[in-house]
């Protein structure tokens, strides 16, 4: 048996189909895949919108009751993050916001945040100006984030159901904590080996319901 696949490198959001040959009657198919994926309903794995968590090995076992035989095959699906560029004009190490002062960032660092157990990028300016933090999914471990488009979440604490490319963006201004709204884009790339994060018109709110919109680019120094 040889599995066929429409693409082994789908981009997040794209479809892919894995098919096992079904040339005779009385075949029974059993599938296993990334996470808890499992199916025995048909000879196909049909994913209409790939997530990064769909990345991994897919295993198929085909048995036939007529000839009492079992054959197997597997295929690796290497799901890719979208590679997009910010749709706005940005100045490096500068963040502009509505309602609050713009900030020239004088220190941009990447580190493992022990409080939230995840990799974070910090951007700081002079005293009294907003201090930004980009926190990557803590379930990714202490590993360098890969390039691609990430999606914001409205929670500071991640859980196991969230995707590799879920990210939290927040800042502190005048002792008021602002956190991003969900389902917005953060663009991650590397420049000379240093991580760079960018965002356009990202909406933030504080606990007092104050809302502001920020655009910026931070490159690790």
């Amino acid at each position: 048996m040889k599995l066929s696949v429409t693409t082994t490198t789908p981009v997040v959001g794209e479809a892919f189909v894995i098919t096992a040959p079904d040339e005779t009657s009385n075949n029974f198919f059993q599938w296993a895949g990334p996470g808890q994926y499992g199916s025995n309903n048909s000879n196909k794995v049909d994913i209409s919108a790939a997530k990064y968590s769909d990345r991994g090995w897919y295993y198929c076992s085909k048995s036939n009751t007529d000839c009492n035989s079992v054959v197997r095959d597997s295929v690796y699906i290497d799901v890719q993050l979208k590679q997009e560029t910010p749709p706005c004009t940005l100045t490096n190490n500068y963040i502009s916001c509505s309602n609050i002062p713009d900030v020239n960032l004088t220190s941009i660092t990447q580190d493992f945040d022990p409080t939230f157990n995840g990799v974070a990028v910090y951007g700081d300016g002079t005293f009294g100006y907003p201090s930004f933090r980009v926190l990557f999914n803590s379930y990714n471990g202490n590993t360098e984030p890969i390039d691609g488009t990430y999606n914001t979440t409205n929670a500071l604490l991640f859980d196991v159901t969230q995707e590799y490319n879920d990210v939290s963006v927040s800042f502190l201004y005048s002792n008021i904590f602002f956190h991003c709204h969900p389902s917005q884009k953060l663009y991650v790339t590397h420049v000379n080996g240093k991580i760079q994060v960018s965002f356009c018109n990202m909406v933030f709110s504080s606990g007092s319901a104050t809302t502001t919109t920020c655009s910026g680019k931070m490159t690790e120094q």
Side-chain angles (χ1 to χ4, degrees), residues 124-139:
D124 296 293
T126 55
F127 180 78
Y129 283 81
S131 178
F132 282 79
R133 179 182 62 202
V134 175
L135 182 65
F136 293 87
N137 191 333
S138 56
Y139 286 88

Side-chain angles (χ1 to χ4, degrees), residues 3 42-43 70 76 81 88 102 106 120 122 125 134 149 159 167 169 178 191:
L3 297 176
S42 75
N43 70 318
V70 179
Y76 188 82
L81 292 186
C88 61
D102 297 350
T106 56
Y122 306 92
V134 175
T149 301
D159 63 53
V167 65
V169 186
F178 288 80
V191 179

Side-chain angles (χ1 to χ4, degrees), residues 80-218:
Q80 309 289 304
L81 292 186
K82 291 181 180 179
Q83 303 294 318
E84 300 176 299
T85 55
C88 61
T89 301
L90 298 169
T91 300
N92 194 33
N93 298 337
Y94 184 86
I95 296 177
S96 60
C97 298
S98 62
N99 306 330
I100 63 174
D102 297 350
V103 54
N104 280 301
L105 299 171
T106 56
S107 172
I108 301 92
T109 58
Q110 180 186 210
D111 204 352
F112 185 78
D113 191 313
T115 301
F116 296 99
N117 201 36
V119 171
V121 175
Y122 306 92
D124 296 293
T126 55
F127 180 78
Y129 283 81
S131 178
F132 282 79
R133 179 182 62 202
V134 175
L135 182 65
F136 293 87
N137 191 333
S138 56
Y139 286 88
N140 299 341
N142 189 10
T143 59
E144 184 75 16
I146 64 174
D147 289 4
T149 301
Y150 289 66
N151 301 312
T152 59
T153 176
N154 59 353
L156 268 174
L157 298 177
F158 296 92
D159 63 53
V160 295
T161 65
Q162 290 183 276
E163 290 294 308
Y164 174 92
N165 58 325
D166 283 343
V167 65
S168 162
V169 186
S170 60
F171 66 89
L172 190 67
Y173 173 61
S174 293
N175 292 321
I176 300 173
F177 179 75
F178 288 80
H179 194 272
C180 62
H181 288 197
S183 303
Q184 303 181 90
K185 291 183 177 182
L186 178 89
Y187 307 91
V188 175
T189 189
H190 285 76
V191 179
N192 298 322
K194 300 292 188 179
I195 193 169
Q196 181 181 89
V197 297
S198 304
F199 48 92
C200 295
N201 301 315
M202 187 172 286
V203 181
F204 298 81
S205 290
S206 69
S208 61
T210 301
T211 300
T212 188
T213 301
C214 300
S215 299
K217 180 193 295 185
M218 303 192 300

